[in-house]
Amino acid sequence: MLEGVVVLREYKLETEAQIKAAIKVLEVNSPPVLSEFAKWCLENYSEIAFQSVRALADLAGVNANTVVRFSKELGFSGYEDLRQSVQCTLRIKHNTYSKRAGALKNRAYSDLFSDLQKSYATNSETLFQSSTLETIIQSAKSIRNAQNVYTVGVRSSYSVAHYFSYVGAMAFSNFVKAPAEPGAIMDQLAKADENDILIAISFSYYSSEVVRATEIARAKRTKVIAITDSYRSPLAIDAAHVIEFPLEGPQYMPSLSAAFMTVELILAALASHAPDASQNIADFEEQILNYGGYVA
């Protein structure tokens, strides 16, 4: 557990990412019964929106008092307050891209940009909670010990995957370039084994190519680090580590600012404990300079 864990009631719990991050803190820091229930809630988040106290308790195999205590430990007045908040986050989440774009129509620039500024701050605050940072640290340790690090992301997530693999390869010899050509994902993973790691990046709607990549990795006993938007993501199934990044914001495509911050945090954690990283990057820079890749 990281030092400096703050009291949950100091957090605003208005978005799915914020509520789940708070639940994760409870999972890490609570007695066994409450910790197990918190873990169950992360895996069955939407059930909170549709079940009564007793129904949720029966589904999770706990008593109703545990559900009420759980709600209050999160900072809600009671279970009904928690349930209404979860219902609200699910309504927001299931807007399609086209509906999100429609919601932007005729909005005043000042109002829109104010919402964007708030969402960037919220996403950053959520990502930097202690439980998520601990998962990032553990992910970095796994990556450091891997024989090969494969990274998969397509469509809008490709930019995150490419950045991670490109910058990672500057400092670490085990990073493999993110595949871009049709069929290249399968070609790479055909070589993977239990000594390797797959970094899988996607969010709802989940890209079928990335989901398939995690299925292949599981079949080959290759560890998966899922960088995704939900613990219920198909990428998270049997993953060694799940890093849930928040997507809040009024943009017509969910914001990837936190996804980029996530991979930057992993890379920084890797470099901080890699004695050869600085020299490897210096050698890379020298090669690019010698061949005219940079303009001074």
Side-chain angles (χ1 to χ4, degrees):
M1 183 178 68
L2 296 179
E3 296 180 0
V5 175
V6 299
V7 178
L8 289 176
R9 291 172 181 78
E10 293 179 2
Y11 287 120
K12 293 185 297 182
L13 302 181
E14 298 174 349
T15 68
E16 179 174 344
Q18 289 173 331
I19 293 173
K20 284 185 173 180
I23 293 173
K24 185 67 176 177
V25 173
L26 277 186
E27 180 193 352
V28 172
N29 298 302
S30 298
V33 172
L34 199 60
S35 176
E36 284 299 313
F37 180 59
K39 181 180 180 180
W40 185 91
C41 286
L42 286 174
E43 297 171 349
N44 301 274
Y45 178 78
S46 61
E47 295 291 349
I48 300 172
F50 305 113
Q51 305 294 339
S52 67
V53 169
R54 293 193 179 279
L56 192 73
D58 289 343
L59 280 175
V62 299
N63 62 50
N65 289 335
T66 298
V67 177
V68 174
R69 179 187 172 193
F70 169 80
S71 305
K72 291 183 176 180
E73 288 292 333
L74 287 174
F76 294 95
S77 60
Y79 175 69
E80 188 58 32
D81 187 17
L82 168 62
R83 185 167 75 161
Q84 290 178 7
S85 295
V86 171
Q87 288 173 347
C88 182
T89 67
L90 292 177
R91 284 195 294 270
I92 293 171
K93 181 179 179 180
H94 288 104
N95 281 341
T96 63
Y97 301 156
S98 59
K99 287 181 180 178
R100 291 170 67 99
L104 297 176
K105 188 175 181 180
N106 296 324
R107 287 195 62 179
Y109 292 135
S110 59
D111 178 53
L112 174 60
F113 294 161
S114 176
D115 270 4
L116 283 164
Q117 182 182 26
K118 290 176 183 177
S119 70
Y120 291 139
T122 296
N123 289 343
S124 178
E125 177 183 313
T126 301
L127 181 64
F128 277 82
Q129 292 203 48
S130 59
S131 57
T132 304
L133 294 179
E134 180 61 29
T135 303
I136 287 172
I137 291 170
Q138 296 305 317
S139 297
K141 290 179 180 178
S142 296
I143 291 169
R144 192 177 298 119
N145 295 325
Q147 178 175 281
N148 295 296
V149 180
Y150 300 101
T151 309
V152 174
V154 300
R155 301 180 182 86
S156 59
S157 295
Y158 176 73
S159 58
V160 185
H162 175 266
Y163 177 85
F164 182 67
S165 64
Y166 176 76
V167 176
M170 289 183 184
F172 311 104
S173 60
N174 60 346
F175 272 66
V176 179
K177 180 182 177 182
E181 302 82 8
I185 294 175
M186 180 71 75
D187 291 347
Q188 282 193 359
L189 291 180
K191 305 172 186 176
D193 61 31
E194 65 273 12
N195 299 308
D196 300 327
I197 277 184
L198 170 66
I199 312 296
I201 306 171
S202 190
F203 57 90
S204 181
Y205 308 117
Y206 303 105
S207 298
S208 57
E209 301 95 323
V210 181
V211 174
R212 179 59 180 149
T214 62
E215 292 171 348
I216 295 170
R218 289 198 299 272
K220 296 176 73 65
R221 300 180 66 184
T222 301
K223 290 182 180 178
V224 174
I225 296 177
I227 300 177
T228 188
D229 63 330
S230 171
Y231 289 94
R232 298 194 70 185
S233 162
L235 277 60
I237 298 172
D238 294 329
H241 307 288
V242 179
I243 304 173
E244 186 185 47
F245 66 89
L247 299 160
E248 306 305 327
Q251 304 93 318
Y252 59 86
M253 285 292 291
S255 174
L256 289 178
S257 60
F260 275 102
M261 283 191 284
T262 297
V263 297
E264 288 180 339
L265 284 166
I266 295 172
L267 290 168
L270 282 168
S272 69
H273 286 71
D276 297 333
S278 178
Q279 186 58 53
N280 290 343
I281 295 171
D283 293 343
F284 176 87
E285 288 176 313
E286 183 179 0
Q287 290 294 322
I288 299 298
L289 283 167
N290 287 344
Y291 290 99
Y294 293 140
V295 177

